[in-house]
Amino acid sequence: MILQVIAIAIVILVALAGLIIYEGIIKPKVTTEISPTYRIVSLTPSDTQILLSLGLGKNIVGIDIYSYNLTKIINLTSQVPSNVTIFNQIYPVNISGLVALNPTVIIGEEGIIGECQTNMQKAGLKVLLTNDDYASNFYEIEQSVMQVGKYFNQTSQAQDVINWMNEKLQNFSTTGNITVDYIDWICPNYEFYSAGGNVFINSLIQLGGGINGLGEYSNYGPFTADALISSNPQVLVVNVIYNLTYTEYLVNHFPGIQNTSAYKNDRIYYLSSSSSYLTNEPGPLAVYAVLLFRDIINGTAPHVITWNWIENDIHPELPVY
């Protein structure tokens, strides 16, 4: 009997020893990774869109005023801290203000803050520049989304954003042959800034079912009044400059405007400053600009396009992954 008890005890001890060896040596160790706490400053609205869509809004400690206004009109202020520091100008950057926030990284468009990169780095700031402002199509915007996603170890979320963009583009895109000119700014001497054939707005016009009447030109200008008149657009889209009354005055006094098809057929459309967030910011929300151009070209948009109309008829929503 005693021998049986001893045998059982030995078996139990061997089993316990084996369990200890398995738990301590053989069993794979599972470690819980702690996500880094980022302190991000975003200085351009296109990049702010990307950060919000990647679920990084809570990590934004500083933001430019245009980005903050964008979060308000798309109802995403809850995605950024209530005490976020707002910078009232993008360029030149407020380096001392940035240093005071002790940020992990400053993110912005190369064409806007790129010239300040060296000075920011001299101040000990890390800088991540995107190519949004130089993008000519949505594929390049998607590259920026993935670039930011990889930087913050959010590649899965970045792919979700890209998939969402492609789904929207498939639903919104169409083809057509209506000539469209887009005026971003008119100078007092009636030179104007517009969208040439190698810029992002050109892609928006094409996907919306139009042909860029100024597509033979490059970049944003400035162009002379002759360029607009010779293109003879069937549709003219104009960003509101200061206020609607002043902008309408400029357009109606544009040399030769009365000879264009757009003027003769009352096909001139004015974008309020908030509405132009869709067309002028090459970020994820720009997919809705394709739908906006489609409505303008089809004649279903009002001649004065406000954010209230966009909100009610286009329903722009930025997903947060």
Side-chain angles (χ1 to χ4, degrees):
M1 183 69 176
I2 294 175
L3 291 177
Q4 289 179 335
V5 172
I6 292 173
I8 293 172
I10 291 173
V11 171
I12 293 173
L13 287 174
V14 171
L16 288 173
L19 181 61
I20 291 171
I21 292 172
Y22 174 75
E23 290 289 340
I25 300 175
I26 302 174
K27 182 180 179 180
K29 296 187 184 308
V30 178
T31 58
T32 303
E33 293 185 2
I34 300 175
S35 299
T37 301
Y38 298 112
R39 293 178 59 81
I40 305 170
V41 175
S42 180
L43 294 180
T44 45
S46 58
D47 293 312
T48 300
Q49 292 179 38
I50 295 174
L51 291 168
L52 291 174
S53 65
L54 295 177
L56 292 166
K58 61 185 178 296
N59 299 105
I60 297 177
V61 296
I63 196 172
D64 68 278
I65 184 63
Y66 305 103
S67 290
Y68 188 72
N69 289 340
L70 177 62
T71 66
K72 289 195 293 186
I73 66 174
I74 61 175
N75 300 314
L76 284 182
T77 53
S78 62
Q79 294 296 316
V80 298
S82 58
N83 62 344
V84 65
T85 298
I86 301 172
F87 292 91
N88 288 316
Q89 74 176 32
I90 296 179
Y91 181 89
V93 298
N94 181 350
I95 292 181
S96 60
L98 295 175
V99 171
L101 291 176
N102 189 29
T104 308
V105 64
I106 314 296
I107 182 170
E109 295 177 1
E110 181 178 350
I112 296 179
I113 70 169
E115 292 183 5
C116 305
Q117 181 181 15
T118 300
N119 290 334
M120 287 189 286
Q121 289 174 335
K122 286 180 179 179
L125 298 168
K126 289 185 178 180
V127 182
L128 175 63
L129 296 180
T130 62
N131 199 42
D132 303 338
D133 49 335
Y134 291 127
S136 59
N137 53 57
F138 274 102
Y139 175 70
E140 293 175 354
I141 300 303
E142 292 169 2
Q143 288 181 311
S144 288
V145 172
M146 186 55 70
Q147 174 194 2
V148 177
K150 288 180 178 179
Y151 187 91
F152 293 105
N153 196 29
Q154 302 282 96
T155 54
S156 176
Q157 291 87 337
Q159 190 59 55
D160 287 337
V161 175
I162 291 170
N163 292 342
W164 171 83
M165 290 175 64
N166 284 319
E167 180 184 353
K168 293 296 182 184
L169 289 174
Q170 288 176 3
N171 292 334
F172 297 158
S173 300
T174 187
T175 57
N177 57 2
I178 301 296
T179 55
V180 180
D181 282 8
Y182 181 91
I183 294 182
D184 194 41
W185 187 268
I186 304 175
C187 303
N189 66 351
Y190 288 100
E191 286 186 336
F192 67 99
Y193 290 85
S194 183
N198 63 335
V199 303
F200 186 63
I201 295 172
N202 178 75
S203 178
L204 298 178
I205 293 172
Q206 290 178 332
L207 292 173
I211 298 172
N212 184 1
L214 297 169
E216 64 183 279
Y217 297 96
S218 298
N219 302 322
Y220 294 96
F223 306 119
T224 64
D226 290 341
L228 177 70
I229 305 310
S230 63
S231 72
N232 189 24
Q234 294 169 277
V235 171
L236 183 61
V237 181
V238 185
N239 277 338
V240 169
I241 305 167
Y242 301 128
N243 58 67
L244 179 61
T245 301
Y246 176 67
T247 307
E248 288 179 323
Y249 173 85
L250 288 176
V251 170
N252 288 328
H253 288 80
F254 207 91
I257 190 72
Q258 295 83 1
N259 298 321
T260 64
S261 175
Y263 187 92
K264 293 176 181 178
N265 296 311
D266 194 25
R267 298 297 310 276
I268 301 177
Y269 299 85
Y270 296 92
L271 290 178
S272 68
S273 57
S274 54
S275 301
S276 62
Y277 269 112
L278 295 185
T279 57
N280 285 358
E281 298 298 337
L285 275 174
V287 295
Y288 292 104
V290 174
L291 184 57
L292 173 60
F293 273 109
R294 194 177 81 180
D295 286 349
I296 290 173
I297 292 168
N298 290 340
T300 56
H303 286 281
V304 178
I305 298 170
T306 64
W307 187 261
N308 185 59
W309 178 83
I310 288 177
E311 195 171 33
N312 292 330
D313 288 71
I314 293 182
H315 311 294
E317 294 181 357
L318 184 67
V320 177
Y321 291 101

